[in-house]
Amino acid sequence: MNHIVARQKHVTVLPADLEPSDAELNAIEQELPLILAERDLLDAQIVTLDRTPTEVDRQRLRRARRRVLAEWAALENRAAHLPSSGDAA
């Protein structure tokens, strides 16, 4: 069996330190509740792809949508209270 191997040099040079910065980790931590809510909504939607949704499925979808909206609003509210990094002219 012949293996296919790339014989070209890498186009993008990767930095030596591939770890996320503290700022990136903090941003992920702030967005984590929204990410988890969106994951739960996606799970609820996947369950209903191949069947007719039952009343329990509909309730789960509504609950997941409400949670996504609530987490999104909470994230926006937290961002609105953060000090801006730019100087006002």
Side-chain angles (χ1 to χ4, degrees):
M1 170 189 271
N2 294 333
H3 296 286
I4 300 173
V5 180
R7 295 179 184 247
Q8 298 175 356
K9 293 182 180 181
H10 295 287
V11 177
T12 305
V13 178
L14 296 175
D17 182 20
L18 294 177
E19 297 296 321
S21 68
D22 288 338
E24 291 170 330
L25 289 173
N26 288 336
I28 292 170
E29 187 175 334
Q30 290 294 319
E31 294 176 11
L32 191 58
L34 177 60
I35 293 168
L36 295 176
E38 288 175 336
R39 183 204 56 196
D40 292 343
L41 175 58
L42 183 60
D43 286 344
Q45 290 170 334
I46 288 171
V47 166
T48 62
L49 283 177
D50 61 346
R51 68 175 191 212
T52 304
T54 63
E55 185 58 33
V56 173
D57 292 332
R58 289 187 199 96
Q59 289 175 357
R60 184 177 178 207
L61 282 166
R62 283 192 303 267
R63 194 176 314 119
R65 285 186 190 112
R66 283 194 306 264
R67 183 170 170 222
V68 167
L69 290 174
E71 292 297 341
W72 184 61
L75 181 64
E76 290 295 320
N77 287 336
R78 283 192 301 268
H81 295 303
L82 294 176
S84 63
S85 60
D87 293 330

